[in-house]
């Protein structure tokens, strides 16, 4: 049903337009802040170690980020609908193995990638069905499927593993080659990112996801097909985790029953650092992707700076705290601006 | 068709019939009875004492965790706090300090860890899930810095005995005594004091609680600090029980605790649940694992079983409710449609 | 449990202090449980398979239990307890932590279970015999030798280890450091030891970091199968392939691709199956009363020949095997 | 029934509908017919089943028995979306907005205008929203997020959402409860136009004069049962009340003469940046001080700051001569202050907790010793106050969210009156309360004042302010603009001050 409202003169009060621009800027600043931190961090590292941003170094940075970024995109989508998918690590592991097994038996790389995506999407369907049909807390359900998928994976895989020698050369090369300094994997990830972001911003069903996360009860009353949307989010998340599994295989040339273990907390961290609120309804996948890049870059920066690996865990933790604290302070600024603005528009209203 | 009735009313109406925490308790009892009668080697005192001893760390942390989740927050850094406490204990012992001094220091450490979490959550208003994922890394990292790759094992024998020993030939480990005391305190605090009442209110609606004069921040801070303290004590217990202080002690314990607490019917959104249910959940998982090991079920299958149980724990009550609703609707729909009276 | 468990546990009630009788008859029908650091780990699976085969030949029963994580010490303890409960005759344990298993293992020995450790040891009073993969001295020395040969005896090198707490890694690294002090290696400089926690991704990034931090790095020793594999994968996809040498401990199956594409020249490993087989023989010998774990006691270890227990109750199946392009296809594990 | 009805087929009708929630029979064999071009009122006490009826029409609830007829054909709405697609627009009693989305998106969610490739046309969404607000005379920025909107603004957005549907049937459940006169007038203007264009309208309000102003016919419910459907021209207000409550109504504003005593609450130069500025006033024992103003004038904010829920940037608050520290509701309570907040769902009640626990939440001082709860004391306190305020409930252990809107409001009142406050601040105390109970609440406030309690009453219901207050303060744009004694307070004088024409009122101190 389309609306019959004719377009009219945009007669929004001028000061509210100005205020909106201000808000826009502050909002973008949240993502800009992550970029700034990233740039400063990489720059400082380069200063102290000139090898860091060599061609090889840049490629490594991008390659390191791709897998986490992919999973974070899907996770962000789920979190925006006020759900969460803790099973991504397990799903990544099992789809990587599925792809590897196919390749080992002489399968075609493209089929293998599709297979991984399919396996991921399948578990996405399971998660989505459990969460939306049963209307049960996503955290508990996906904690359950985290265990279940991990268990199935290790029963199925056993002590087998897929190593680089079992994979076609082209596939393994695909994992590290690229156009210039930009690896193929990064291009693929970027494409996925842009598509998902554009979808969420510009399609009704994408907007529905924000609505759903913002107020589920209202979404139902507004006729949003809640189940379908939740299901979509989970399937996309699963499929991206599956794709990430295939890329993992290409990148690391190795899968066993432990692949992807403990990945869920890293992904959740990335999404949170990227400013996607756990209460749903806000944040963007670009933010989540930036969060993922920031986290993986830290892991690249510390060894390059020669920081002993003893310190890495602690520094990672503190940086995560710093990132969310900075984000929070910015958000408080926005709230302040809103308050001032409310006062202004009130003057306008009763003038 | 989707049942559009608002969720809460029905929940309360049928609440008496299918309370999940009671079901978990019943399930635990049934499992225990079956295991005692049918599982070889389960029933002897030694095995039961193993079972209790291995489950105690999870049970200990589950006490404050359940209350924290009731208040609408969560602490994922518990295992790292325990690890840090263990590492500090080892480092101080290596430095020649007396264990009677070390334990209070570890408690203090727990206070600090809890304060950091609590202050970040209450003062800066950050989401606890994010904060404690951060401190999960930070505390574990500090533990690694403090103790490095050392593994300290030479604690005094009487303390190690306390950690691992049991009363004579009974099935009761010594450490059960402090646990039972803590459990009693926690039950009273959560279910019979104004503090507990306020926790439920805060978890169900923080804003409404604040409007009713509940000191939300103070309450949450107190809960984070208690969680820190108990986690640190668990670290001490862990060290003595396994006679080994390492920085990576208790790694991953947070997920086990949360799984058990959720299984026991504590609602992750806050405001609902009972401690009895949480502890039943802890021991249900512990017993299941023990029994499955005795029956030679592989670790992988145990993982699957844990997951299935978790999923069932949230699905079962809802499906049960759905069925009884359908039945109720069937009853009311039975009389023939009456003609409009106008 | 087997039918003989009751009498077995009775007459071995004090196995640790009893007297060895080298001529005692080898018992059959025993149950020996293997408790690796991690189940589903290909290395341990191969080792345990070796144990299974040996037990088959000896007429005893094999079983394997264990945690699916390599750092779940509590899980390992509860498995020891369970095995004690099930009254197996002997257990072969690869310890995740030297101290943490002690109480449980001692309890097992008190209950008449013979305890052998393999691959990774516990404190020595908590087991009867330790089956060491190869002597730490041998391993440390040979890895340094291999790398020195490849880099022409000079330049900067680094070590990529597993977890910081990994006991045997640390022992080997200590030996390597001692070894490097020898005049023959005076031009080689060990610049750093990095830890990849036996996690493919972490090891991968640690390798990247090493190369960025030390652009002049000539070689890397990774005495862990996960680490060497990850490092090899990174090198083979980077500009350092063939230029930065890599050696250490790896399995032929893992490393085949990299040896063939020129990333890696030589690396080494003992045969894990032999390790498991030896552990099985030790366990049966202990249960049969042929040995008690004292230095100098000898027993027959089937295909491995007659073995003698060394100082501290350690026994080892011999020197590691070096793999290269020429011989790698002869092995499958 | 003998009253004439239009001969045409009703656009939307309910025939013999019943609906139960467990033991509660919310609707019993109710029928209702809506005709094109007619505004139909639904009247009844709190908990009579009005909202339930609307939800049954809108596909939120599924009736247990009976049918919904659209153009004479039975329909089976499986979800609110079905009803919407059939041309039924609903404004629910409680606003249901998406706080994270912009106001414009809130209006068009799920049916945004699109451009090529099915993409949402963000620009049209915005201009269309601006157009709707212009029609309603509301100055809301379509781009601002819905988070932080006052209840009134939220209600306006809901109204805009319903209007944007250009529906054949417009159903409104108490849309005006939080609005002041001018907004109501604008709304009625728009609804009138729609009706003339042939829409059917179903309207619920506890303000009877609104019913008479807007509607032609009325259906009355009592305890879930259908009482009558008749033209409003046959009825006067008393007659309608008699239909609703089954008896005559007592005085709606039973103002007692009281002895005005010492100053109990004293607010000095209170300022919260961007919200209100330099607010000073005193409330004395035995006095009811009315605080009037337009929506968004900042009255609620002052109340919240005084009670300590919000911090303030400057000024001070004294209760019975003791200075309150800012930002501490618990201390304010200890000093004898109570605040009945305006948003009962978010602020007044913990919706998932039982009635008993909700009332108990403010009473720990009385019901616990050394921190330990005394269950019996807790229970008897709850029973006592629930009965005194005539809360309609099945069991005290029932979740408060299952009560009807007006009964929820009574629980909020009960919860705060039970603390026996010295100073009582009530923010929209009768929002959504039926006339009968309203009189009850007014009598209660009046007798509290007579007992020496100082009452500060914020209300958007001007007759209520005029009927109850000893003195009226008026706020405009975050400042006090007038203080008017009871004798001089009239609709004109208060509205003049509220809209900023301060020359008519006396300047506040
Ligand atoms: N979801 C529900 N579960 C249980 N009982 C309910 C539910 N919704 C409404 N009720 C009960 O149904 C009855 C009618 O409620 P309803 O909300 O329709 O009243 P109302 O006429 O709209 O009252 P008000 O004027 O106060 O808004 C009340 O007794 C209420 O407690
Ligand atoms: N949390 C908030 N964040 C931003 N603005 C807010 C917030 N709460 C309220 N406001 C704004 O402050 C202004 C004053 O609030 P409010 O409407 O509650 O005042 P009021 O005089 O009590 O009006 P009402 O008649 O609605 O009670 C409004 O414009 C509202 O939009
Ligand atoms: Mg209603
Ligand atoms: Mg207000």
């Amino acid at each position: 049903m389309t609306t019959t409202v004719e377009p009219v003169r945009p007669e929004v009060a001028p000061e509210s337009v100005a205020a909106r621009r201000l808000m826009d800027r502050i909002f973008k600043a949240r993502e800009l802040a992550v970029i700034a931190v990233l740039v400063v961090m990489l720059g400082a590292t380069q200063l102290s170690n000139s090898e860091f941003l060599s061609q090889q170094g840049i490629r490594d940075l991008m390659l390191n980020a791709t897998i986490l970024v992919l999973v974070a995109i899907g996770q962000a989508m789920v979190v925006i609908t006020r759900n969460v998918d803790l099973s991504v690590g397990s799903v990544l592991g099992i789809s990587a193995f599925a792809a590897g097994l196919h390749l080992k038996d002489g399968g075609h790389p493209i089929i293998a990638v599709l297979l991984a995506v399919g396996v991921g999407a399948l578990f996405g369907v399971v998660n989505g069905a459990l969460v939306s049909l049963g209307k049960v807390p996503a955290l508990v359900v996906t904690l359950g499927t985290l265990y279940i998928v991990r268990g199935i994976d290790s029963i199925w895989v056993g002590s087998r593993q897929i190593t680089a020698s079992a994979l076609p050369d082209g596939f393994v090369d695909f994992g590290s080659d690229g156009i210039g300094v930009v690896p193929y994997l990064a291009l693929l990830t970027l494409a996925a990112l842009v598509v998902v972001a554009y979808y969420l911003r510009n399609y009704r069903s994408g907007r529905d996801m924000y609505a759903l996360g913002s107020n589920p009860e209202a979404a139902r009353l507004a006729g949003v097909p809640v189940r379908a949307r939740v299901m979509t989010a989970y399937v996309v998340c699963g499929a991206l985790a599956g794709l990430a599994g295939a890329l993992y295989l290409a990148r690391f040339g190795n899968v066993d029953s432990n692949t992807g273990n403990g990945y869920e907390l890293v992904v959740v961290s990335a999404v949170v650092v990227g400013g996607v609120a756990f209460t749903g309804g806000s944040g963007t996948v670009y933010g989540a992707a930036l969060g993922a890049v920031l986290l993986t870059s830290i892991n690249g920066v510390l060894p390059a700076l020669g920081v002993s690996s003893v310190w890495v865990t602690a520094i990672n933790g503190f940086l995560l705290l710093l990132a969310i604290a900075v984000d929070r302070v910015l958000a408080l600024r926005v709230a302040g601006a809103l308050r001032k603005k409310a006062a202004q528009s009130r003057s306008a209203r009763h003038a | 068709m989707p049942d559009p009735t608002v969720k809460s009313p029905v929940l309360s109406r049928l609440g008496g019939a299918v309370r999940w925490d009671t079901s978990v308790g019943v399930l635990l009892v049934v499992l225990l009875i079956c295991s005692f009668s049918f599982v070889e080697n389960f029933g002897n005192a030694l095995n039961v004492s193993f079972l209790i001893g291995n489950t105690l760390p999870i049970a200990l942390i589950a006490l404050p965790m359940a209350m924290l989740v009731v208040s609408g927050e969560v602490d994922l850094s518990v295992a790292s706090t325990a690890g840090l406490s263990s590492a500090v204990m080892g480092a101080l012992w290596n430095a020649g300090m007396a264990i009677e001094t070390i334990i209070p220091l570890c408690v203090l450490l727990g206070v600090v860890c809890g304060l950091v979490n609590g202050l970040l959550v209450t003062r800066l208003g950050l989401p606890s899930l994010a904060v404690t994922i951060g401190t999960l890394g930070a505390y574990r990292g500090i533990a690694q810095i403090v103790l490095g790759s050392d593994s300290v094992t030479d604690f005094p024998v009487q303390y190690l005995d306390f950690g691992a020993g049991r009363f004579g030939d009974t099935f009761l480990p010594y450490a059960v005594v402090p646990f039972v005391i803590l459990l009693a305190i926690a039950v009273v605090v959560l279910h019979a004091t104004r503090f507990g009442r306020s926790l439920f209110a805060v978890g169900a609606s923080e804003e409404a609680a604040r409007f009713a004069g509940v000191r939300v921040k103070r309450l949450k801070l107190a809960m984070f600090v208690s969680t820190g303290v108990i986690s640190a004590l668990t670290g001490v217990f862990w060290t003595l029980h396994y006679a080994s202080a390492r920085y990576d002690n208790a790694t991953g314990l947070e997920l086990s605790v949360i799984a058990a607490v959720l299984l026991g019917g504590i609602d992750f959104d806050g405001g609902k649940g009972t401690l009895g249910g949480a502890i039943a959940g802890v021991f249900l998982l512990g017993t299941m694992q023990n029994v499955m090991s005795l029956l030679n079920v592989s670790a992988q299958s145990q993982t699957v079983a844990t997951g299935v149980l978790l999923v069932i724990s949230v699905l079962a009550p809802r499906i049960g409710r759905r069925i009884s609703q359908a039945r109720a609707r069937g009853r009311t729909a039975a009389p023939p449609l009456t003609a409009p009276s106008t | 449990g087997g039918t003989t468990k009751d009498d077995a546990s009775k007459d071995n009630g004090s196995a640790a202090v009893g007297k060895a009788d080298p001529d005692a008859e080898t018992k059959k029908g025993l149950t020996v449980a293997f408790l690796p650091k991690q189940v589903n780990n290909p290395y341990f699976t191969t080792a345990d398979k070796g144990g299974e085969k040996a037990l088959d030949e000896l007429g005893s029963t094999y079983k394997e239990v264990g945690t699916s994580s390599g750092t779940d010490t509590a899980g390992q303890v509860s498995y020891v307890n369970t095995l004690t409960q099930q009254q197996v005759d002997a257990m072969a344990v690869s310890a995740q932590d030297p101290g943490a298993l002690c109480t449980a293992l001692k309890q097992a020995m008190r209950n008449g279970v013979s305890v052998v450790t393999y691959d990774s040891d516990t404190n020595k009073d908590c087991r009867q015999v330790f089956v060491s993969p190869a002597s730490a001295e041998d391993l440390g020395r040979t890895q340094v030798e291999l790398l020195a040969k490849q880099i022409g005896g000079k330049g900067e090198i680094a070590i990529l280890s597993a977890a910081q707490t990994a006991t045997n890694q640390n022992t080997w690294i200590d030996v390597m450091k001692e070894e490097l002090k020898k005049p023959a290696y005076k031009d080689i400089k060990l610049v750093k030891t990095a830890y990849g926690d036996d996690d493919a991704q972490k090891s991968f990034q640690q390798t990247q970091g090493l190369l960025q931090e030390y652009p002049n790095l000539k070689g890397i020793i990774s005495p862990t199968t996960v680490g060497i594999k990850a490092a090899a994968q990174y090198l083979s996809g980077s500009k350092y392939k063939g230029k930065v040498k890599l050696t250490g401990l790896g399995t032929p199956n893992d490393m085949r691709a990299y040896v063939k594409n020129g990333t890696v020249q030589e690396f080494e490993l003992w045969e894990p199956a032999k390790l498991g087989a030896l552990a099985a023989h030790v366990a049966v010998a202990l249960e049969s009363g042929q040995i008690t774990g004292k230095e100098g006691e000898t027993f027959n270890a089937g295909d491995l020949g007659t073995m003698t227990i060394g100082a501290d109750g350690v026994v080892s199946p011999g020197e590691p095997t070096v793999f290269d392009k020429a011989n790698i296809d002869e092995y499958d594990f | 029934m003998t009253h004439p009805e239009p001969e045409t087929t009703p656009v939307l009708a309910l025939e013999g509908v019943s609906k139960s929630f467990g033991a509660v029979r919310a609707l019993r064999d109710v029928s209702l017919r809506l005709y094109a071009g007619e505004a139909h009122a639904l009247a009844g006490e709190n908990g009579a089943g009005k909202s339930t009826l609307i939800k049954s029409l809108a596909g939120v609830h599924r009736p247990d028995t009976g049918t919904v007829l659209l153009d004479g054909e039975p329909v089976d709405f499986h979800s609110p979306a079905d009803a919407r697609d059939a041309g039924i627009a609903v404004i629910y009693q409680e606003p249901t907005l998406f706080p994270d989305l912009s106001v414009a998106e809130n209006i068009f969610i799920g049916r945004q205008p699109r451009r090529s490739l099915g993409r949402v046309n963000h620009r049209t969404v915005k201009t269309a929203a601006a157009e709707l607000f212009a029609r309603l005379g509301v100055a809301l920025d379509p781009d601002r997020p819905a988070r932080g909107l006052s209840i009134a603004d939220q209600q306006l957005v809901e109204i805009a959402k319903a209007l944007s549907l250009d529906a054949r049937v417009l159903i409104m459940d108490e849309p005006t409860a939080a609005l002041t006169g001018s907004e109501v007038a604008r709304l009625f203007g728009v609804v009138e136009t729609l009706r003339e264009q042939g829409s059917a309208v179903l309207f619920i309000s506890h303000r009877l004069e609104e019913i008479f102003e807007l509607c032609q016919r009325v259906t009355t419910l009592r305890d879930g049962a259908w009482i009558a459907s008749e033209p409003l021209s046959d009825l006067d207000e008393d007659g309608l009340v008699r239909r609703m409550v089954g008896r005559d109504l007592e005085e709606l504003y039973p103002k007692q003469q009281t002895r005005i005593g010492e100053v109990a609450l004293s607010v000095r130069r209170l300022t919260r940046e961007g919200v209100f500025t330099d607010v000073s006033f005193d409330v004395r024992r035995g006095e009811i001080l009315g605080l009037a103003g337009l929506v968004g004038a900042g009255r609620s904010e002052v109340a919240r700051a005084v009670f300590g829920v919000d911090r303030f940037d400057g000024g001070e608050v004294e209760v019975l001569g003791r200075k309150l520290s800012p930002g501490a509701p618990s201390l304010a309570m200890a000093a004898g202050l109570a605040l009945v907040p305006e948003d009962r769902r978010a602020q007044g009640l913990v919706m998932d907790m039982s009635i008993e626990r909700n009332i108990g939440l403010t009473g720990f001082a009385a019901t616990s010793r050394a921190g330990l709860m005394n269950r019996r004391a807790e229970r008897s306190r709850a029973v006592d106050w629930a009965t005194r305020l005539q809360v309609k409930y099945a069991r005290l252990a029932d979740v408060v969210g299952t009560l009807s809107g007006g009964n929820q409001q009574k629980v909020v009142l009960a919860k705060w009156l039970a603390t026996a406050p010295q100073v009582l601040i009530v923010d929209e105390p009768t929002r959504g309360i039926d006339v009968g109970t309203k009189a009850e609440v007014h009598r209660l406030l009046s007798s509290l004042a007579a007992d020496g309690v100082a009452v500060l009453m914020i209300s958007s219901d001007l007759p209520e302010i005029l009927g109850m207050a000893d003195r009226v303060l008026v706020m405009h744009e975050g400042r006090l603009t007038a203080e008017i004694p009871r004798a001089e307070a009239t609709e004109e004088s208060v509205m003049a001050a509220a809209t900023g024409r301060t020359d008519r009122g006396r300047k506040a101190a």
Side-chain angles (χ1 to χ4, degrees), chain D residues 50-51 93 173-174 404-405:
Chain D
K50 302 181 296 295
S51 301
Q93 186 166 11
D173 193 351
E174 301 196 31
S404 79

Side-chain angles (χ1 to χ4, degrees), chain A residues 60 159 161 251 254 258 306, chain C residues 38 45 213 229 233-234 254:
Chain A
D60 287 346
S159 64
Q161 56 176 345
R251 172 75 177 128
N254 187 296
N258 270 314
Chain C
Q38 182 182 26
T45 307
E213 195 185 353
K229 187 167 55 180
Q233 169 71 7
Y234 175 70
D254 282 354

Side-chain angles (χ1 to χ4, degrees), chain A residues 49 51-52 54 56-61 64 67 154-155 157-161 163-166 172 176-177 248-254 256-258 261 263 296 299-300 302-310 312-313, chain C residues 38-43 45-46 49 68-70 164 192-197 199-202 204-206 208-215 226 229-230 233-234 236-240 251-258:
Chain A
N49 176 351
E51 265 307 284
F52 183 63
S54 64
Q56 178 72 38
I58 293 177
R59 243 180 49 186
D60 287 346
L61 275 179
N64 290 345
I67 290 159
S154 37
I155 291 171
V157 177
S159 64
R160 289 183 292 172
Q161 56 176 345
T163 56
S165 57
V172 178
S176 47
D177 288 354
Y248 184 100
L249 183 66
R251 172 75 177 128
F252 296 104
N254 187 296
D256 57 28
S257 63
N258 270 314
N261 221 349
Y263 214 56
T296 46
N299 285 335
L302 294 180
L305 283 176
V307 176
S308 155
S309 49
V310 178
V312 170
T313 321
Chain C
Q38 182 182 26
V39 293
N40 275 352
N41 177 320
Y43 165 79
T45 307
T46 316
K49 284 263 159 55
S68 41
S69 147
Q164 265 206 316
K192 179 157 179 180
T193 304
Y195 298 92
D197 288 345
D199 174 277
Q201 217 167 339
K202 261 193 207 159
F204 206 84
Q205 290 189 340
Q206 287 297 329
Q208 282 176 9
L210 283 175
L211 291 166
Q212 282 173 350
E213 195 185 353
Y214 302 102
V226 178
K229 187 167 55 180
Q233 169 71 7
Y234 175 70
S236 81
S238 77
K239 65 176 184 189
Y240 306 108
T251 70
N253 284 353
D254 282 354
M255 301 301 291
R256 192 163 288 127
Y258 310 114

Side-chain angles (χ1 to χ4, degrees), chain D residues 354-361 375 378-379 382 396-398:
Chain D
S354 68
I355 302 169
E356 179 183 341
R357 290 283 162 89
N358 265 291
I359 297 179
L361 208 51
R375 295 230 174 156
E378 194 182 15
R379 188 167 185 87
L396 269 187
D398 284 347

Side-chain angles (χ1 to χ4, degrees), chain B residues 52-134:
Chain B
I52 297 176
N54 289 338
T55 313
L56 267 184
I58 297 179
L60 274 169
I61 299 184
L63 296 176
M65 182 72 90
M67 293 167 73
L68 196 60
V69 175
V70 161
S71 80
E73 304 287 344
V74 69
D75 186 350
L76 294 181
S77 72
V78 283
S80 297
T81 306
L84 179 55
S85 151
S86 174
V88 165
M89 189 171 166
L92 293 180
W93 177 252
N94 271 352
M97 202 179 268
I99 204 147
E100 291 76 14
T101 333
I102 294 178
I103 292 179
L105 285 179
C106 284
V107 171
L108 199 65
L109 179 79
V111 171
V112 173
C113 289
L115 268 180
V116 170
N117 286 332
L119 289 176
L120 283 171
V121 170
T122 57
R123 296 295 137 186
L124 268 184
L126 295 172
S128 56
L129 197 71
V131 165
T132 55
I133 286 180

